[in-house]
Amino acid sequence: MIDVRRGSDRYEGGGPDGAGAGAGITTRHAFSFGSHYDPDNLRFGPVLACNEESLAPGAGFDEHPHSHTEIVTWVAEGELTHRDDTGAATLVRPGDLQHLGAASGTRHVERNDAPGPLRFVQMWLEPLDPAEKPSYTLVRGIADSTPYAVPAAGAVLHVRRPGAGERVAVPAAGRVYLHVVRGDLRLDGQELSAGDSARITGEPELELVAGSPAEVLVWEFP
């Protein structure tokens, strides 16, 4: 089964708790979040959220809490300032992969302190067995097709950057969630563009074909 969800169908949400974003922030949600409740769109496997965030210079999310969530962030444009109570204080740039394991509880700040716009994708996964202590990982310049495992959620992320005309095999996993960051691709006859996503179940022999240089985040789960 292939369930394609269009970026244009995402709904605007608010801040980290769904209570409303501050000035200069635009959030587009793929799943139920905060005050928006859709009983038919709560999650896909361990994926609880896939948020597209756009922050103007000087805008950001003030310190806020998370718990029992694996949070993976991918910057598409600009520079994300991140601070949390694990002691991490980093600048996350395009090509970097950030992973915050909230465990029993942590707090963090996310801001755009750069002079230009910031756009990033943030994905929340439910852990199988939450850790007691929060953790922070930053992978600089992750290479194309290099897998990044999130064992706590039983998940593996692949970042793929095919050139025009190139083919990318979709992992032959029980469930796959993919999000198009940029470019145009074709999946089993369906056209996908930036902001679109697909929820795939029980399809072991699929390929993505890039119509233009693209970047796509591909999660695989059992």
Side-chain angles (χ1 to χ4, degrees):
M1 177 180 177
I2 303 174
D3 180 8
V4 171
R5 305 290 180 110
R6 300 299 176 187
S8 57
D9 293 332
R10 288 171 175 259
Y11 62 92
E12 289 194 24
D17 59 358
I25 299 176
T26 300
T27 303
R28 301 281 292 177
H29 299 289
F31 295 88
S32 287
F33 198 93
S35 59
H36 179 88
Y37 177 72
D38 178 353
D40 296 322
N41 189 29
L42 298 177
R43 62 189 298 163
F44 179 73
V47 183
L48 304 173
C50 180
N51 302 334
E52 291 186 326
E53 307 281 5
S54 297
L55 275 63
F61 298 110
D62 294 333
E63 185 176 287
H64 57 276
H66 289 281
S67 64
H68 305 111
T69 313
E70 302 297 314
I71 303 170
V72 176
T73 303
W74 182 259
V75 174
E77 176 187 9
E79 182 178 85
L80 172 66
T81 297
H82 170 95
R83 296 190 301 275
D84 64 55
D85 57 10
T86 71
T90 57
L91 296 176
V92 189
R93 303 179 178 93
D96 299 341
L97 185 147
Q98 176 181 266
H99 174 201
L100 176 64
S104 58
T106 189
R107 302 180 68 86
H108 73 159
V109 175
E110 298 165 298
R111 294 194 52 80
N112 180 9
D113 292 328
L118 167 65
R119 182 168 63 89
F120 63 93
V121 180
Q122 189 168 91
M123 296 152 288
W124 298 9
L125 280 66
E126 181 181 46
L128 300 169
D129 185 15
E132 294 183 3
K133 295 183 179 180
S135 62
Y136 181 83
T137 303
L138 179 63
V139 181
R140 295 287 190 195
I142 191 167
D144 178 56
S145 78
T146 300
Y148 180 81
V150 183
V156 177
L157 175 65
H158 305 266
V159 180
R160 302 307 310 266
R161 305 181 184 92
E166 291 185 0
R167 296 175 177 268
V168 172
V170 175
R175 287 173 295 189
V176 174
Y177 182 83
L178 64 87
H179 173 87
V180 181
V181 179
R182 56 173 56 88
D184 299 290
L185 303 110
R186 189 170 66 255
L187 173 67
D188 196 38
Q190 299 192 68
E191 301 294 331
L192 304 178
S193 57
D196 292 347
S197 63
R199 307 173 192 190
I200 303 168
T201 306
E203 296 281 354
E205 298 181 359
L206 290 177
E207 282 187 328
L208 287 165
V209 182
S212 63
E215 185 171 77
V216 58
L217 307 176
V218 183
W219 286 100
E220 63 170 300
F221 319 107

mmCIF file of all heavy atoms in Angstrom, residues 22-26 53-61 77-81 110-120:
data_model
loop_
_atom_site.group_PDB
_atom_site.id
_atom_site.type_symbol
_atom_site.label_atom_id
_atom_site.label_comp_id
_atom_site.label_asym_id
_atom_site.label_seq_id
_atom_site.Cartn_x
_atom_site.Cartn_y
_atom_site.Cartn_z
ATOM 1 N N GLY A 22 5.076 31.781 17.613
ATOM 2 C CA GLY A 22 5.365 33.190 17.762
ATOM 3 C C GLY A 22 5.501 33.876 16.422
ATOM 4 O O GLY A 22 5.386 33.262 15.357
ATOM 5 N N ALA A 23 5.754 35.163 16.459
ATOM 6 C CA ALA A 23 5.923 35.942 15.238
ATOM 7 C C ALA A 23 7.110 35.410 14.444
ATOM 8 O O ALA A 23 8.143 35.048 15.002
ATOM 9 C CB ALA A 23 6.138 37.405 15.592
ATOM 10 N N GLY A 24 6.937 35.346 13.135
ATOM 11 C CA GLY A 24 8.019 34.918 12.263
ATOM 12 C C GLY A 24 8.147 33.418 12.126
ATOM 13 O O GLY A 24 9.119 32.937 11.541
ATOM 14 N N ILE A 25 7.179 32.654 12.633
ATOM 15 C CA ILE A 25 7.228 31.195 12.565
ATOM 16 C C ILE A 25 6.031 30.675 11.784
ATOM 17 O O ILE A 25 4.889 31.034 12.065
ATOM 18 C CB ILE A 25 7.228 30.560 13.965
ATOM 19 C CG1 ILE A 25 8.448 31.018 14.771
ATOM 20 C CG2 ILE A 25 7.213 29.035 13.864
ATOM 21 C CD1 ILE A 25 8.463 30.511 16.198
ATOM 22 N N THR A 26 6.310 29.813 10.804
ATOM 23 C CA THR A 26 5.259 29.101 10.087
ATOM 24 C C THR A 26 5.519 27.610 10.235
ATOM 25 O O THR A 26 6.617 27.140 9.935
ATOM 26 C CB THR A 26 5.243 29.469 8.594
ATOM 27 O OG1 THR A 26 5.005 30.872 8.458
ATOM 28 C CG2 THR A 26 4.144 28.702 7.865
ATOM 29 N N GLU A 53 9.142 23.504 9.383
ATOM 30 C CA GLU A 53 9.240 24.758 10.137
ATOM 31 C C GLU A 53 9.973 25.809 9.316
ATOM 32 O O GLU A 53 11.033 25.532 8.746
ATOM 33 C CB GLU A 53 10.002 24.540 11.452
ATOM 34 C CG GLU A 53 9.478 23.409 12.326
ATOM 35 C CD GLU A 53 8.253 23.806 13.115
ATOM 36 O OE1 GLU A 53 7.745 24.937 12.923
ATOM 37 O OE2 GLU A 53 7.785 22.989 13.930
ATOM 38 N N SER A 54 9.413 27.011 9.269
ATOM 39 C CA SER A 54 10.067 28.155 8.629
ATOM 40 C C SER A 54 10.170 29.273 9.656
ATOM 41 O O SER A 54 9.142 29.715 10.198
ATOM 42 C CB SER A 54 9.283 28.631 7.404
ATOM 43 O OG SER A 54 9.238 27.627 6.412
ATOM 44 N N LEU A 55 11.395 29.716 9.942
ATOM 45 C CA LEU A 55 11.630 30.749 10.947
ATOM 46 C C LEU A 55 12.321 31.948 10.301
ATOM 47 O O LEU A 55 13.358 31.797 9.638
ATOM 48 C CB LEU A 55 12.518 30.226 12.081
ATOM 49 C CG LEU A 55 11.827 29.460 13.230
ATOM 50 C CD1 LEU A 55 11.164 28.192 12.722
ATOM 51 C CD2 LEU A 55 12.850 29.122 14.322
ATOM 52 N N ALA A 56 11.737 33.112 10.482
ATOM 53 C CA ALA A 56 12.365 34.345 10.022
ATOM 54 C C ALA A 56 13.553 34.677 10.919
ATOM 55 O O ALA A 56 13.654 34.176 12.047
ATOM 56 C CB ALA A 56 11.340 35.478 10.052
ATOM 57 N N PRO A 57 14.476 35.520 10.454
ATOM 58 C CA PRO A 57 15.595 35.922 11.310
ATOM 59 C C PRO A 57 15.100 36.483 12.640
ATOM 60 O O PRO A 57 14.171 37.294 12.683
ATOM 61 C CB PRO A 57 16.303 36.994 10.477
ATOM 62 C CG PRO A 57 15.992 36.638 9.062
ATOM 63 C CD PRO A 57 14.587 36.103 9.094
ATOM 64 N N GLY A 58 15.694 36.002 13.725
ATOM 65 C CA GLY A 58 15.323 36.458 15.054
ATOM 66 C C GLY A 58 14.175 35.704 15.691
ATOM 67 O O GLY A 58 13.885 35.873 16.874
ATOM 68 N N ALA A 59 13.497 34.842 14.924
ATOM 69 C CA ALA A 59 12.361 34.091 15.452
ATOM 70 C C ALA A 59 12.830 32.771 16.049
ATOM 71 O O ALA A 59 13.915 32.272 15.729
ATOM 72 C CB ALA A 59 11.334 33.825 14.359
ATOM 73 N N GLY A 60 12.004 32.201 16.905
ATOM 74 C CA GLY A 60 12.368 30.911 17.460
ATOM 75 C C GLY A 60 11.398 30.421 18.506
ATOM 76 O O GLY A 60 10.466 31.119 18.908
ATOM 77 N N PHE A 61 11.630 29.191 18.926
ATOM 78 C CA PHE A 61 10.859 28.558 19.984
ATOM 79 C C PHE A 61 11.628 28.709 21.292
ATOM 80 O O PHE A 61 12.761 28.234 21.416
ATOM 81 C CB PHE A 61 10.635 27.079 19.678
ATOM 82 C CG PHE A 61 9.856 26.826 18.416
ATOM 83 C CD1 PHE A 61 10.465 26.287 17.295
ATOM 84 C CD2 PHE A 61 8.507 27.133 18.354
ATOM 85 C CE1 PHE A 61 9.748 26.044 16.132
ATOM 86 C CE2 PHE A 61 7.764 26.897 17.198
ATOM 87 C CZ PHE A 61 8.393 26.354 16.086
ATOM 88 N N GLU A 77 17.526 24.798 4.832
ATOM 89 C CA GLU A 77 18.030 26.124 4.457
ATOM 90 C C GLU A 77 18.308 26.917 5.724
ATOM 91 O O GLU A 77 17.509 26.894 6.660
ATOM 92 C CB GLU A 77 16.991 26.858 3.614
ATOM 93 C CG GLU A 77 17.356 28.285 3.236
ATOM 94 C CD GLU A 77 16.219 29.024 2.546
ATOM 95 O OE1 GLU A 77 15.095 28.488 2.504
ATOM 96 O OE2 GLU A 77 16.464 30.144 2.053
ATOM 97 N N GLY A 78 19.423 27.626 5.756
ATOM 98 C CA GLY A 78 19.727 28.488 6.884
ATOM 99 C C GLY A 78 20.535 27.804 7.960
ATOM 100 O O GLY A 78 21.273 26.840 7.709
ATOM 101 N N GLU A 79 20.380 28.283 9.187
ATOM 102 C CA GLU A 79 21.196 27.806 10.309
ATOM 103 C C GLU A 79 20.345 27.806 11.578
ATOM 104 O O GLU A 79 19.788 28.835 11.963
ATOM 105 C CB GLU A 79 22.403 28.728 10.479
ATOM 106 C CG GLU A 79 23.372 28.346 11.562
ATOM 107 C CD GLU A 79 24.558 29.302 11.610
ATOM 108 O OE1 GLU A 79 24.436 30.352 12.261
ATOM 109 O OE2 GLU A 79 25.592 28.999 10.969
ATOM 110 N N LEU A 80 20.236 26.643 12.210
ATOM 111 C CA LEU A 80 19.427 26.473 13.409
ATOM 112 C C LEU A 80 20.305 26.545 14.655
ATOM 113 O O LEU A 80 21.286 25.807 14.772
ATOM 114 C CB LEU A 80 18.702 25.129 13.363
ATOM 115 C CG LEU A 80 17.957 24.696 14.642
ATOM 116 C CD1 LEU A 80 16.792 25.620 14.929
ATOM 117 C CD2 LEU A 80 17.487 23.248 14.518
ATOM 118 N N THR A 81 19.958 27.437 15.571
ATOM 119 C CA THR A 81 20.617 27.497 16.876
ATOM 120 C C THR A 81 19.859 26.591 17.835
ATOM 121 O O THR A 81 18.653 26.754 18.036
ATOM 122 C CB THR A 81 20.626 28.932 17.433
ATOM 123 O OG1 THR A 81 21.387 29.764 16.552
ATOM 124 C CG2 THR A 81 21.244 28.972 18.818
ATOM 125 N N GLU A 110 15.101 26.403 20.271
ATOM 126 C CA GLU A 110 15.395 26.371 18.838
ATOM 127 C C GLU A 110 15.154 27.761 18.270
ATOM 128 O O GLU A 110 14.047 28.289 18.381
ATOM 129 C CB GLU A 110 14.486 25.359 18.136
ATOM 130 C CG GLU A 110 14.666 23.933 18.615
ATOM 131 C CD GLU A 110 13.528 23.036 18.181
ATOM 132 O OE1 GLU A 110 12.370 23.293 18.578
ATOM 133 O OE2 GLU A 110 13.797 22.075 17.434
ATOM 134 N N ARG A 111 16.193 28.328 17.642
ATOM 135 C CA ARG A 111 16.073 29.705 17.175
ATOM 136 C C ARG A 111 16.773 29.878 15.831
ATOM 137 O O ARG A 111 17.650 29.097 15.447
ATOM 138 C CB ARG A 111 16.729 30.676 18.183
ATOM 139 C CG ARG A 111 16.049 30.765 19.534
ATOM 140 C CD ARG A 111 16.560 31.974 20.303
ATOM 141 N NE ARG A 111 16.479 33.204 19.509
ATOM 142 C CZ ARG A 111 15.353 33.897 19.344
ATOM 143 N NH1 ARG A 111 14.246 33.498 19.927
ATOM 144 N NH2 ARG A 111 15.354 34.988 18.612
ATOM 145 N N ASN A 112 16.377 30.969 15.154
ATOM 146 C CA ASN A 112 17.100 31.424 13.972
ATOM 147 C C ASN A 112 17.812 32.712 14.343
ATOM 148 O O ASN A 112 17.224 33.793 14.302
ATOM 149 C CB ASN A 112 16.131 31.658 12.806
ATOM 150 C CG ASN A 112 16.854 32.128 11.560
ATOM 151 O OD1 ASN A 112 18.086 32.120 11.500
ATOM 152 N ND2 ASN A 112 16.112 32.565 10.560
ATOM 153 N N ASP A 113 19.067 32.583 14.702
ATOM 154 C CA ASP A 113 19.872 33.755 15.059
ATOM 155 C C ASP A 113 20.702 34.258 13.882
ATOM 156 O O ASP A 113 21.516 35.172 14.045
ATOM 157 C CB ASP A 113 20.796 33.413 16.236
ATOM 158 C CG ASP A 113 20.030 33.171 17.526
ATOM 159 O OD1 ASP A 113 18.976 33.818 17.705
ATOM 160 O OD2 ASP A 113 20.467 32.345 18.341
ATOM 161 N N ALA A 114 20.507 33.661 12.712
ATOM 162 C CA ALA A 114 21.240 34.056 11.512
ATOM 163 C C ALA A 114 20.493 35.171 10.788
ATOM 164 O O ALA A 114 19.308 35.413 11.035
ATOM 165 C CB ALA A 114 21.431 32.849 10.600
ATOM 166 N N PRO A 115 21.150 35.861 9.843
ATOM 167 C CA PRO A 115 20.498 36.964 9.133
ATOM 168 C C PRO A 115 19.525 36.531 8.044
ATOM 169 O O PRO A 115 18.730 37.339 7.560
ATOM 170 C CB PRO A 115 21.676 37.734 8.523
ATOM 171 C CG PRO A 115 22.764 36.718 8.383
ATOM 172 C CD PRO A 115 22.597 35.784 9.536
ATOM 173 N N GLY A 116 19.574 35.261 7.646
ATOM 174 C CA GLY A 116 18.702 34.797 6.569
ATOM 175 C C GLY A 116 17.606 33.879 7.076
ATOM 176 O O GLY A 116 17.546 33.534 8.261
ATOM 177 N N PRO A 117 16.700 33.450 6.203
ATOM 178 C CA PRO A 117 15.594 32.570 6.610
ATOM 179 C C PRO A 117 16.104 31.182 6.996
ATOM 180 O O PRO A 117 17.173 30.744 6.550
ATOM 181 C CB PRO A 117 14.702 32.520 5.370
ATOM 182 C CG PRO A 117 15.624 32.822 4.228
ATOM 183 C CD PRO A 117 16.634 33.798 4.764
ATOM 184 N N LEU A 118 15.320 30.503 7.801
ATOM 185 C CA LEU A 118 15.628 29.143 8.242
ATOM 186 C C LEU A 118 14.447 28.243 7.907
ATOM 187 O O LEU A 118 13.302 28.595 8.182
ATOM 188 C CB LEU A 118 15.885 29.122 9.752
ATOM 189 C CG LEU A 118 15.917 27.748 10.443
ATOM 190 C CD1 LEU A 118 17.093 26.909 9.941
ATOM 191 C CD2 LEU A 118 15.994 27.929 11.967
ATOM 192 N N ARG A 119 14.758 27.100 7.306
ATOM 193 C CA ARG A 119 13.714 26.112 7.023
ATOM 194 C C ARG A 119 14.239 24.739 7.414
ATOM 195 O O ARG A 119 15.351 24.360 7.016
ATOM 196 C CB ARG A 119 13.348 26.136 5.537
ATOM 197 C CG ARG A 119 12.222 25.176 5.155
ATOM 198 C CD ARG A 119 11.720 25.458 3.738
ATOM 199 N NE ARG A 119 12.740 25.234 2.732
ATOM 200 C CZ ARG A 119 12.946 24.050 2.132
ATOM 201 N NH1 ARG A 119 12.196 23.009 2.458
ATOM 202 N NH2 ARG A 119 13.884 23.921 1.210
ATOM 203 N N PHE A 120 13.465 24.033 8.235
ATOM 204 C CA PHE A 120 13.907 22.695 8.629
ATOM 205 C C PHE A 120 12.724 21.750 8.768
ATOM 206 O O PHE A 120 11.572 22.173 8.889
ATOM 207 C CB PHE A 120 14.741 22.732 9.915
ATOM 208 C CG PHE A 120 14.040 23.213 11.156
ATOM 209 C CD1 PHE A 120 13.428 22.327 12.031
ATOM 210 C CD2 PHE A 120 14.025 24.570 11.484
ATOM 211 C CE1 PHE A 120 12.808 22.768 13.187
ATOM 212 C CE2 PHE A 120 13.412 25.023 12.645
ATOM 213 C CZ PHE A 120 12.796 24.118 13.494
#
